[in-house]
Amino acid sequence: MNGQKMQCVLWSIVMLTAGLGVLAGCSRGKVSDMQVTGLRCEYLANPLGIDEPEPRLGWMLESPVRGQKQAAYRILVASSEENLARGVGDLWDTGVVESDRTSQIVYSGKSLRSRQRCWWNVRAWDRDRHGTAVSEMAFWTMGLLDRDDWKAEWIGMENPDEEYVRQLGKNPDLPLNSPSYLRKAFTVDRTVAHASVYASALGLYELHINGRRVGSDYFTPGWTQYNKRIQYQTYDVTGLIQEGGNVIGAILAEGWYSGHLSWMGSRWIYGTENSLCVQFEIEYADGSSDIVVSDGTWRCTSGPIMYSSLYMGEMYDATKEMPGWDTSGFDDNGWRLAVIREKPEALLVAQRSQPVHVTGTITPVNMSEPKKGVFVFDLGQNIVGWVRLKVTAGPGVRITLRHAERLNADGTIYTANLRTAKSEDVYITRGSGGAELYEPHFTFHGFQYVEVTGFPGAPAIENITGIVVHSDTPPAGTFECSNPLVNRLAANIQWGQRGNFLSVPTDCPQRDERLGWMGDAQVFIRTASYNMDVAAFFTKWMYDVADAQTSEGAFCYISPSTTAVEGDWEAAPAWSDAGVIIPWTIHHVYGDTRIIEKHWNSMVRYMDYLGAVNPDYIRKNKLGGNWGDWLSIDDDTPKYLLATAFWAFDARLMGDMAEDIGKTDDAEKYRMLFARIQEAFQKKYVSPDGRIFPLEGDVEKVGSYPPNHNYTGGIGESQTGYLLALYLDLVPGDLRAKAAEHLVRKIGEKNWHLSSGFIGGRLLNPVLSGTGYNDVAYKLLLTDTYPSWLYPVTNGATTIWERWDGWTKEKGFQDPLMNSFNHYSLGAVGEWLYGYVAGIDTDPAAPGYKRIVIRPCPGAGLDYAHAVYESIHGRIVSGWKLEGSTFTLDVTIPPNTTAAVWVPSDEGSAVTESGVPAGEAEGVTFTGREAGRASFEVLSGTYRFTSTVSHPKEL
Ligand code: BGC
């Protein structure tokens, strides 16, 4: 028996004994009521082609029993399905590990090589040491880990017009380039056991094999800082290959790399020529293998896609289709040979987040004809994506689809806010007799309305279908309450996220911008993480943030940056600080220390940069864009105040993160830094009566962008000034209550309206509820007069608007130069809906919802609220209702976690759980009272608490 076989036999014995529960004192025979589900590798379900050499594994537990938890686990990772089925973890067998950990478990088995296939499962033991059934099998595969693994060349199509090429980059009015079609025929003469394809592009690509599209991803390889990092995707194409003739085909388009990007006609930011890199690997049943790569033998041509541009749209001439171009037997003699392009120097990395997918379709709710032959379809929802057109016509009929978010008063589409983005798709019919279906390929639009012209006759609703497209981050949260307008607001926040999370978090999907603005991302990430599982999405984006950091240390304020070479970006307050806030938040929500470790040096360089340019602890130098509390309403916040507060924020988060990754010295250093900034802040901005404003009367009118928007910073008190000071502990303890009073005064002065912008908008309600003014927070939530969260809702919004006054009854549309109707930032109140109204949060001391906090804050105007959140540890529910003075709170806490549950209840009244005094209920321990609430330590399980609560008073 050779060594390897011997090892297998030994493993089998170990596994069998473990299965019988003999190991580690596990009790014999009984199967646990607990189930292991939702296996994830690097946050993804069964990912293909990852390049993390030590990927992190995790799972969830389900159990109907209160207080259930994991006492031990065993992970098996096998190099073949058969081995795993036999219980042999030849790559990694953790043995029975005494641990309650279920996430962020770092693979520490045999070192993984390129292309390695890893099958894995998990078995857990519960608190009574009963073993669970072994989980369902999951898998991941490794990508191409070494540059040398890549044998493929980067190829493209020579542009026929040399003059055109010469002009690239100089003339913004040049027509759009056509995508190229590339193909390679090859023969397979043996039985195929497995086939994989690895693909990337500078530009966007769509792969086909034997007439079928490979995978269902869009906008591959995704947007990154292309001069530093380019992603590749891995697909299992075993099922697409056939014995005999095969063809691999690709369509290559401009995308972010060389298309229009940023604003006002800017294009060719990263490069001018697109190229494709494909490596197709076949393993035969007889053990031999073959490889087909992109090289100079591929053939290429232009085809029916006349152009396809992210901002401008697509023109598709179906009369130019080349039937069978991606199948064998097609005559490609008229096609040219592909040219070999220079290999990019950037890192080629595996895609590490969910790809962009079609996640839904929408049937229009209405069609009108505001002008003869001009048909306008209303999807009833502002979406991101495109439409599918269905048409029956003769050949060469040109149908134009224009997209818009709103309508003009005369019912025609309002396109002024698109700036230079045309968002227009043109389809020229094939005319083959039957119905033709058309969807564009490499463009997306932000729209609710589609204008159709050129349609033969009058179209019907069924001729148009809305296609919803975004990064396929799994849904995680739902929020519902008794007020339908608030429910619509919650839905609008979700839709805003869906539309703007497309490869990177972007600002607006309709106009010529669509950039990874970091201020927007940092205010919204916490809300985003309630709505969806964004762990992988932001893990990927943090590399874009780090790649865009300047050599001086400033995080950029747009990531990926819109300069291919390093620009002279400075650190814009509240925007660049996302470089620190994002890793902290991902750690907070998912218990992820790796994101901190990976970016620690970048963050330290950033902090060093801030320190070096601001020696007196007031941040007033190198403030870059310096947008202050962007888009506040007549309530500017002093710019240095805001900047200094964010520096303090960074210092505090750095201190916490240093602690969490065991860097005790750094933790101390950043706490000291926080204390210094706090001291400087108090001296400069906190008056003895708790007011917050520049005490020396400094006019902090610095930086203005855009010039005509008068964003010059405030000189006095502002809602956001108070919010920052209170949220970040910049007010001395004895003045906190006073400062909160002043904040409330400021809100009262606006007749109980908010006036803060992007930055303060996030903090308003959490700070109010947290400082004893929950009633004011509810008042702001439920106000529907301008400016408020519900004003757009009552005016037909189906997404979050960029500006409080994007449209008002009195003034109509805001300045079309900057007026998006789908911009998630002002939706950052979602965090308060989940975290305060429903009351679900994680204990910061046990990140990743290992210890959960359920602390609902009911308020006047709502009779019930209910939220469900799929945390990394499983499903959490908090739902309350108030009938008369009877308060009912339904809570679900996932196995293997505990919770502090704060039940609103009047002083002296009893709290029960499922009919028994709560403190005596199974899994519940009474821990104390505070004004208006009783607190309990609660084990996992499902509970119904009942208490008496006098109805919250309206303000
Ligand atoms: C974007 C924002 C961004 C801002 C910077 C705008 O054009 O749409 O969302 O944060 O510029 O202030």
Side-chain angles (χ1 to χ4, degrees):
M1 195 183 278
N2 68 25
Q4 214 182 340
K5 268 199 185 147
M6 174 77 172
Q7 207 186 13
C8 281
V9 170
L10 278 177
W11 281 127
S12 310
I13 295 170
V14 169
M15 195 43 213
L16 260 177
T17 39
L20 291 172
V22 174
L23 275 187
C26 300
S27 73
R28 191 182 290 262
K30 278 204 176 161
V31 175
S32 171
D33 54 68
M34 198 162 75
Q35 249 187 306
V36 178
T37 59
L39 273 60
R40 294 283 183 274
C41 170
E42 283 299 312
Y43 296 123
L44 301 171
N46 300 330
L48 292 183
I50 62 168
D51 60 6
E52 215 28 272
E54 292 173 350
R56 293 160 300 169
L57 307 179
W59 56 90
M60 278 180 259
L61 297 168
E62 287 173 23
S63 162
V65 167
R66 285 188 183 179
Q68 192 50 281
K69 57 184 183 196
Q70 173 182 290
Y73 69 79
R74 179 177 190 176
I75 304 172
L76 294 184
V77 184
S79 63
S80 70
E81 230 176 315
E82 297 72 38
N83 276 356
L84 190 71
R86 293 205 324 266
V88 178
D90 57 330
L91 292 175
W92 196 33
D93 180 342
T94 61
V96 178
V97 181
E98 299 288 318
S99 166
D100 65 351
R101 190 166 259 275
T102 58
S103 61
Q104 313 292 355
I105 296 174
V106 176
Y107 171 86
S108 330
K110 284 193 188 144
S111 77
L112 299 172
R113 47 179 175 74
S114 290
R115 309 174 181 84
Q116 180 99 51
R117 275 170 244 153
C118 308
W119 279 266
W120 66 294
N121 63 26
V122 178
R123 187 172 186 219
W125 282 266
D126 67 21
R127 60 178 180 190
D128 303 314
R129 312 204 69 84
H130 296 149
T132 65
V134 173
S135 72
E136 278 184 15
M137 182 189 75
F139 61 85
W140 81 86
T141 70
M142 299 303 286
L144 301 181
L145 304 181
D146 298 318
R147 230 182 150 85
D148 290 351
D149 289 324
W150 285 95
K151 308 292 177 222
E153 305 274 6
W154 290 72
I155 61 170
M157 185 170 77
E158 202 170 337
N159 199 300
D161 179 354
E162 282 176 25
E163 178 53 25
Y164 182 93
V165 177
R166 244 196 314 269
Q167 297 252 343
L168 286 177
K170 293 189 202 129
N171 183 352
D173 299 322
L174 275 178
L176 300 161
N177 221 341
S178 345
S180 36
Y181 286 68
L182 300 105
R183 74 189 296 274
K184 168 78 186 174
F186 61 96
T187 310
V188 165
D189 57 6
R190 275 156 289 164
T191 310
V192 174
H194 190 85
S196 295
V197 64
Y198 304 90
S200 184
L202 288 173
L204 300 176
Y205 73 85
E206 185 183 298
L207 273 191
H208 293 226
I209 291 180
N210 297 331
R212 283 166 58 194
R213 193 183 193 280
V214 175
S216 52
D217 306 346
Y218 287 88
F219 306 109
T220 46
W223 187 9
T224 51
Q225 187 72 40
Y226 292 120
N227 55 315
K228 297 213 172 143
R229 199 178 296 267
I230 308 163
Q231 295 188 135
Y232 66 89
Q233 285 70 37
T234 304
Y235 298 100
D236 181 340
V237 290
T238 314
L240 297 182
I241 288 298
Q242 60 203 23
E243 255 185 86
N246 286 267
V247 164
I248 179 156
I251 314 175
L252 178 63
E254 54 183 37
W256 295 282
Y257 181 77
S258 63
H260 282 92
L261 187 64
S262 188
W263 47 74
M264 304 306 171
S266 155
R267 66 204 276 200
W268 304 300
I269 282 183
Y270 303 104
T272 53
E273 295 175 331
N274 299 112
S275 50
L276 172 80
C277 177
V278 175
Q279 183 151 318
F280 183 70
E281 299 187 351
I282 312 174
E283 292 163 37
Y284 296 108
D286 65 6
S288 59
S289 61
D290 245 339
I291 171 166
V292 178
V293 295
S294 45
D295 61 17
T297 66
W298 285 46
R299 296 202 162 249
C300 58
T301 189
S302 24
I305 308 181
M306 311 304 290
Y307 59 77
S308 200
S309 147
L310 293 176
Y311 293 179
M312 301 302 166
E314 175 168 303
M315 183 188 284
Y316 188 92
D317 185 347
T319 62
K320 293 198 162 49
E321 278 178 352
M322 308 168 289
W325 72 275
D326 49 0
T327 58
S328 71
F330 176 84
D331 179 6
D332 64 10
N333 270 329
W335 292 36
R336 274 168 289 156
L337 284 177
V339 291
I340 301 206
R341 304 241 198 256
E342 216 176 303
K343 274 201 175 106
E345 275 171 23
L347 282 175
L348 200 50
V349 300
Q351 161 140 351
R352 60 174 318 136
S353 54
Q354 292 87 2
V356 175
H357 282 157
V358 168
T359 62
T361 54
I362 294 194
T363 304
V365 293
N366 189 31
M367 189 196 78
S368 59
E369 193 180 0
K371 281 188 190 166
K372 185 103 196 81
V374 176
F375 299 94
V376 174
F377 288 76
D378 176 3
L379 296 186
Q381 173 62 53
N382 193 345
I383 66 163
V384 170
W386 51 80
V387 297
R388 184 194 302 138
L389 169 73
K390 187 170 155 203
V391 58
T392 306
V397 177
R398 184 186 169 114
I399 300 162
T400 304
L401 308 164
R402 293 167 69 224
H403 304 77
E405 294 185 288
R406 305 275 294 190
L407 295 180
N408 294 310
D410 63 359
T412 55
I413 58 171
Y414 171 78
T415 54
N417 68 334
L418 305 185
R419 297 201 303 226
T420 66
K422 271 173 75 182
S423 283
E424 177 183 288
D425 297 336
V426 178
Y427 180 67
I428 299 170
T429 55
R430 187 186 314 124
S432 53
E436 297 174 36
L437 292 178
Y438 165 68
E439 290 180 37
H441 298 74
F442 303 104
T443 187
F444 65 88
H445 314 296
F447 67 105
Q448 175 169 341
Y449 301 93
V450 195
E451 179 202 86
V452 181
T453 50
F455 196 90
I461 290 285
E462 55 147 41
N463 292 105
I464 292 290
T465 306
I467 307 287
V468 181
V469 174
H470 53 89
S471 284
D472 203 357
T473 50
T478 54
F479 173 89
E480 204 209 319
C481 69
S482 54
N483 183 317
L485 294 177
V486 175
N487 291 340
R488 184 65 237 190
L489 171 69
N492 292 1
I493 296 171
Q494 294 246 7
W495 275 106
Q497 179 165 347
R498 290 177 78 177
N500 284 293
F501 278 33
L502 197 148
S503 194
V504 306
T506 66
D507 58 336
C508 47
Q510 70 300 95
R511 68 174 178 236
D512 57 351
E513 193 156 345
R514 314 185 192 185
L515 302 176
W517 283 100
M518 291 174 56
D520 309 37
Q522 69 81 4
V523 297
F524 191 68
I525 182 174
R526 189 66 184 98
T527 298
S529 67
Y530 278 115
N531 284 332
M532 307 206 190
D533 169 1
V534 291
F537 182 81
F538 278 107
T539 303
K540 178 264 173 189
W541 191 58
M542 257 320 285
Y543 285 98
D544 301 331
V545 171
D547 285 346
Q549 187 176 21
T550 68
S551 41
E552 242 191 313
F555 285 123
C556 200
Y557 28 87
I558 302 171
S559 297
S561 108
T562 45
T563 44
V565 287
E566 184 182 315
D568 56 353
W569 306 92
E570 294 176 354
W575 268 252
S576 301
D577 302 304
V580 174
I581 298 167
I582 302 290
W584 182 90
T585 310
I586 293 299
H587 173 50
H588 180 68
V589 178
Y590 304 102
D592 182 342
T593 46
R594 186 176 277 181
I595 193 167
I596 303 174
E597 280 153 357
K598 289 259 180 197
H599 299 289
W600 184 251
N601 291 343
S602 289
M603 292 190 279
V604 168
R605 284 207 296 126
Y606 179 65
M607 296 304 286
D608 290 350
Y609 167 91
L610 294 182
V613 298
N614 297 298
D616 58 0
Y617 300 104
I618 294 295
R619 182 174 169 190
K620 55 185 181 204
N621 294 310
K622 296 227 180 192
L623 304 179
N626 196 14
W627 294 281
D629 185 24
W630 186 236
L631 303 182
S632 59
I633 299 288
D634 298 327
D635 192 16
D636 290 345
T637 297
K639 294 250 170 134
Y640 302 156
L641 183 158
L642 182 142
T644 305
F646 268 87
W647 187 15
F649 196 6
D650 298 335
R652 192 173 83 185
L653 301 184
M654 288 296 283
D656 288 356
M657 289 191 280
E659 188 80 54
D660 287 337
I661 59 168
K663 291 186 182 289
T664 338
D665 290 353
D666 283 339
E668 189 48 34
K669 173 173 119 190
Y670 288 114
R671 285 196 182 123
M672 293 275 294
L673 175 64
F674 177 83
R676 294 226 167 85
I677 301 170
Q678 186 187 46
E679 192 189 348
F681 184 96
Q682 292 177 353
K683 225 156 122 196
K684 193 164 160 59
Y685 297 112
V686 184
S687 77
D689 64 351
R691 282 181 303 142
I692 312 290
F693 64 99
L695 300 183
E696 287 149 26
D698 288 8
V699 181
E700 298 191 355
K701 282 186 180 282
V702 279
S704 64
Y705 166 88
N708 55 341
H709 278 78
N710 191 27
Y711 261 84
T712 49
I715 54 171
E717 297 168 283
S718 70
Q719 289 184 8
T720 296
Y722 283 104
L723 294 167
L724 288 166
L726 286 161
Y727 184 74
L728 297 169
D729 267 336
L730 299 173
V731 185
D734 56 337
L735 290 180
R736 244 187 110 70
K738 277 262 159 245
E741 264 172 42
H742 289 300
L743 166 65
V744 172
R745 170 180 53 80
K746 290 292 293 174
I747 297 170
E749 280 168 11
K750 299 266 175 189
N751 193 21
W752 305 107
H753 282 83
L754 53 78
S755 53
S756 50
F758 274 30
I759 306 305
R762 175 202 170 190
L763 306 178
L764 256 169
N765 278 10
V767 168
L768 288 167
S769 293
T771 51
Y773 292 99
N774 196 48
D775 53 347
V776 182
Y778 267 75
K779 175 84 185 164
L780 293 183
L781 173 73
L782 297 174
T783 295
D784 61 6
T785 45
Y786 168 79
S788 66
W789 285 291
L790 292 188
Y791 183 72
V793 173
T794 52
N795 285 288
T798 58
T799 35
I800 299 294
W801 296 352
E802 175 173 26
R803 315 176 76 127
W804 299 117
D805 56 353
W807 181 91
T808 58
K809 283 181 190 116
E810 296 70 30
K811 295 190 180 150
F813 291 115
Q814 244 284 6
D815 182 350
L817 271 184
M818 210 194 73
N819 195 22
S820 150
F821 290 95
N822 191 0
H823 221 86
Y824 55 66
S825 310
L826 297 179
V829 67
E831 156 183 357
W832 177 78
L833 295 177
Y834 284 102
Y836 286 81
V837 177
I840 298 177
D841 207 342
T842 178
D843 181 345
Y849 294 90
K850 181 69 178 135
R851 185 162 187 278
I852 294 154
V853 178
I854 302 287
R855 196 184 156 92
C857 299
L862 294 191
D863 302 328
Y864 78 85
H866 191 268
V868 180
Y869 173 62
E870 308 291 342
S871 77
I872 195 166
H873 282 106
R875 173 168 297 190
I876 303 171
V877 178
S878 173
W880 56 262
K881 65 174 188 264
L882 189 55
E883 289 162 307
S885 57
T886 306
F887 185 82
T888 315
L889 176 63
D890 288 320
V891 173
T892 299
I893 302 299
N896 204 37
T897 65
T898 58
V901 178
W902 299 77
V903 184
S905 63
D906 287 351
E907 195 67 41
S909 71
V911 180
T912 59
E913 192 288 305
S914 301
V916 295
E920 292 165 25
E922 185 197 344
V924 182
T925 312
F926 174 70
T927 49
R929 272 204 75 88
E930 65 167 39
R933 281 196 176 85
S935 71
F936 301 91
E937 191 61 30
V938 171
L939 303 178
S940 70
T942 294
Y943 301 86
R944 169 162 289 184
F945 295 92
T946 310
S947 64
T948 305
V949 172
S950 16
H951 223 277
K953 279 191 209 65
E954 222 167 303
L955 191 70

